Amino acid sequence: MLNKIILSGLFVVTIFFTACSNTNVQKVEVKPDVSLINTYWKVNSLYGKEVEVFVREAHLKLKDNNQVNGALGCNNFFGKFEQKDSSISFINVASTKMMCPNMKTEDAFSKVLFETRTYKISGETMTFFNENKEEIAKFKAVYF
């Protein structure tokens, strides 16, 4: 009788530890932060609104010589930027002036470049913030 109790106890303990050891651990791939410089940054959202592509994909590229260029969604833009730590500002930005089917994206992106004060890169995502630390644009790194 004592042997049956001991065997039953061992069976319960074995089942308990076996059940605990079979838990699935889900691996989350954490990507390293992408470089600010020499990366093609596609615009995902401006002022919390998703950006639609009408003529060209809105994007920017910051170069190591402090030059910035890209597309506002139709027109090209170019200029300079200054960056230190998490602060960034865009200077002397100019663009071509073609009439485009969706000027709302063009205007919003131009305004973002004027208002941006800080940025944050997390993995393959870059976010711009205004002087009130409000998110005003979100970008995704694109590879070719």
Side-chain angles (χ1 to χ4, degrees), residues 133-144:
K133 298 183 180 10
E134 299 165 328
E135 179 183 307
I136 57 174
K138 200 170 270 289
F139 302 81
K140 179 80 172 166
V142 177
Y143 307 98
F144 296 97

Side-chain angles (χ1 to χ4, degrees), residues 4-119:
K4 285 184 180 182
I5 293 172
I6 292 173
L7 284 174
S8 297
L10 286 174
F11 178 75
V12 169
V13 169
T14 302
I15 296 296
F16 174 77
F17 283 112
T18 303
C20 290
S21 67
N22 284 337
T23 58
N24 291 331
V25 176
Q26 210 173 18
K27 291 183 180 178
V28 176
E29 185 179 337
V30 176
K31 296 187 179 188
D33 291 347
V34 175
S35 172
L36 172 70
I37 307 298
N38 296 323
T39 299
Y40 180 103
W41 291 104
K42 174 187 171 188
V43 179
N44 283 346
S45 66
L46 299 168
Y47 299 101
K49 296 179 182 172
E50 189 175 323
V51 173
E52 294 181 51
V53 176
F54 287 92
V55 177
R56 294 179 60 202
E57 183 173 82
H59 71 278
L60 62 78
K61 291 182 274 184
L62 300 124
K63 299 179 181 177
D64 52 10
N65 62 358
N66 288 63
Q67 298 287 319
V68 61
N69 67 0
L72 298 169
C74 175
N75 286 292
N76 294 322
F77 74 92
F78 48 91
K80 293 185 172 267
F81 72 95
E82 292 180 351
Q83 180 264 328
K84 184 177 181 187
D85 300 323
S86 65
S87 295
I88 191 166
S89 59
F90 297 93
I91 309 153
N92 298 327
V93 175
S95 71
T96 56
K97 298 290 182 189
M98 296 185 302
M99 190 59 176
C100 302
N102 183 12
M103 293 305 289
K104 288 181 183 179
T105 299
E106 300 262 322
D107 294 341
F109 196 5
S110 294
K111 187 176 174 186
V112 160
L113 293 173
F114 178 75
E115 292 182 350
T116 298
R117 296 296 175 263
T118 58
Y119 75 97

